[in-house]
Amino acid sequence: MSAREAQARLVAALDRHAELVIAVSGGVDSMTLAFVAHRFSRGRVSMLHAVSPAVPPHATARVRAHAGREGWDLAVADAGEFADPRYRANPVDRCFFCKSNLYDRIRSVTEGTVASGTNLDDLGDFRPGLKAASQRGVVHPFVEAGIDKATVRALARLHGLDDLAELPAQPCLSSRVETGIAIDADDLGFIDQVETAVAALVPAGSSVRCRITHAGVALELDDPETAGETAGRLVSDLCARTGRTFGGVRPYRRGSAFLRDAP
């Protein structure tokens, strides 16, 4: 499917709704969905970006920059998940409580249909947030249009959104904390500090993950052989300064495999 064909199918899915509120995280999926919906949908479209310690500041800055450039109707709000002890306890289905708080927050300020940037590839992964979405009537226009991650990136390139098209996957910072370790704002700040510093040492678009595990801090890279030694020293120093144990560098593991492997 070409990018233009995908866009036609996506716009048809969007046009089924008179009013859409898109949950925009700052990643390529939700940002591309917001761009296409704003530019081409016939219905009323607005965006809501949730801020919390789990959202990297650079993601919020990206959302604000695109909103200002494109003229989006953007609201920025605290979804409130850190006030939910079930979320902070970090069970294996933590994402369910995160998305429940997010979608309930959006629903409290609008009667429009809530839309997410979920794409076809997401359906094959372990994503408890999809259950929260289903319970609240959230729609997934990319899924409805038969669009996968590669096609989302092609859509971004079609519109010259080069800063989005090559973004590595960036789930929330809490996804780096091993199941059963309580979610803590200081840990999330440390994770963001590590990932931002290491990203400057590896090729653009590379995956970088700082994991908080029961065995200590682990750094995951696409290619540990290339920059692993330098990055490992950097992270080891940061761990020493903050009283953390560094567990070493290992190959990057995608998404929710981290949760499934946890005890």
Side-chain angles (χ1 to χ4, degrees), residues 10 70 129 160 169-170 200 208 230 261:
L10 177 59
E70 294 295 323
Q170 285 291 324
V208 176
T230 302
D261 290 350

Side-chain angles (χ1 to χ4, degrees), residues 44-83:
R44 179 184 175 192
V45 177
S46 61
M47 303 8 154
L48 187 140
H49 174 67
V51 292
S52 84
V55 179
H58 60 79
T60 298
R62 184 182 303 120
V63 172
R64 290 188 183 277
H66 278 259
R69 185 165 62 246
E70 294 295 323
W72 292 351
D73 178 1
L74 171 69
V76 177
D78 183 346
E81 75 272 26
F82 270 73

